[in-house]
Amino acid sequence: MAVVSAVYAGTYGEASGEHRAKSPWECPNCNRTLDIRYEKESLVLECPEHGLRLSYPTPPGAYQGRSLEELTDVVFSRTMSGMNLARQGICPRCWGVTVIEYPTEPTYGLDGEGSAQDDIVWAEVDCNRCWLQYDPPLQVLISSHPAVRGFYSEHGLDDAEALFGSRSTSNPEVSDLVLHESGGTTATFELGEDALAVDIDEGGRVTDVRRE
Ligand SMILES: [Zn+2]
Ligand SMILES: [Zn+2]
């Protein structure tokens, strides 16, 4: 069954060339527009200036019948849905047990000292059974919760806008994180006049969601 679904998604055998487009989003570290590329079964967002690179494994079947921009929306929707499962301890790939750790060191190439990303709290989600791993800012992980996605949707913002750009969940002007001494954390998201607060425990499980 796994092989059948892998073949159907196009994992095996299809040669896929490289394709490029400009994204609508700015690099979080500088003002350059991020490039979108599809290559080697991954959707890649990359800053042409200083090498920030975000890579999302994506089978060629996902690109069939879609533009690169449409593929990007699909990848972000699936990433959010996958993170929503993984956040609850369920691997979206193999159904195994996932574990969340935070704060962690970022594992991909961000700028060093003085970058706009210095104060980001990073999280890591790992599957105990397979290679699945997410390493998002903690707010992004928390924003996979349906209440936060609903909050964004109410304000006319989709998954891509929750992940990138001026209203993204990791933008310090939108979100605030308080790490409590007890081990838990409260994330607050503000859009317009509205605010949504989410409490998580030290294992990353959501314990409370409320409007503030
Ligand atoms: Zn940049
Ligand atoms: Zn897994």
Side-chain angles (χ1 to χ4, degrees):
M1 188 60 203
V3 172
V4 170
S5 69
V7 168
Y8 190 67
T11 308
Y12 299 127
E14 281 179 40
S16 49
E18 189 182 306
H19 302 268
R20 262 174 199 284
K22 283 280 172 201
S23 81
W25 308 290
E26 285 180 1
C27 171
N29 288 354
C30 66
N31 292 329
R32 294 289 296 269
T33 303
L34 293 174
D35 288 336
I36 310 173
R37 278 190 292 134
Y38 184 73
E39 61 166 14
K40 296 185 184 143
E41 303 192 358
S42 285
L43 184 85
V44 178
L45 285 177
E46 197 166 46
C47 174
E49 183 68 28
H50 64 270
L52 171 112
R53 193 175 193 277
L54 303 169
S55 178
Y56 303 85
T58 307
Y63 197 7
Q64 244 171 53
R66 295 186 177 112
S67 68
L68 198 50
E69 288 76 10
E70 288 167 340
L71 175 66
T72 308
D73 285 342
V74 168
V75 168
F76 289 159
S77 282
R78 283 207 50 133
T79 300
M80 280 298 219
S81 300
M83 265 198 298
N84 180 41
L85 285 173
R87 192 178 47 71
Q88 301 172 78
I90 306 159
C91 176
R93 185 172 173 270
C94 80
W95 299 46
V97 174
T98 53
V99 178
I100 297 172
E101 267 188 72
Y102 74 87
T104 55
E105 294 293 313
T107 56
Y108 43 79
L110 296 165
D111 264 7
E113 282 180 33
S115 89
Q117 308 260 311
D118 266 358
D119 45 7
I120 285 188
V121 176
W122 296 92
E124 189 175 305
V125 186
D126 279 298
C127 176
N128 284 345
R129 287 191 64 225
C130 76
W131 50 260
L132 182 117
Q133 183 190 76
Y134 297 114
D135 40 21
L138 184 57
Q139 294 99 309
V140 172
L141 180 65
I142 295 170
S143 71
S144 68
H145 190 282
V148 184
R149 291 177 84 183
F151 184 61
Y152 265 72
S153 169
E154 251 176 58
H155 289 83
L157 301 167
D158 63 18
D159 287 333
E161 289 163 308
L163 286 164
F164 293 98
S166 60
R167 309 235 253 165
S168 72
T169 55
S170 55
N171 184 334
E173 283 166 24
V174 172
S175 70
D176 184 50
L177 272 184
V178 178
L179 279 71
H180 305 296
E181 270 175 35
S182 59
T185 293
T186 301
T188 309
F189 303 93
E190 263 186 64
L191 294 172
E193 301 285 291
D194 305 320
L196 182 78
V198 181
D199 293 332
I200 59 168
D201 66 18
E202 57 198 343
R205 301 302 161 90
V206 171
T207 53
D208 191 39
V209 180
R210 61 195 173 274
R211 293 291 179 124
E212 297 213 312

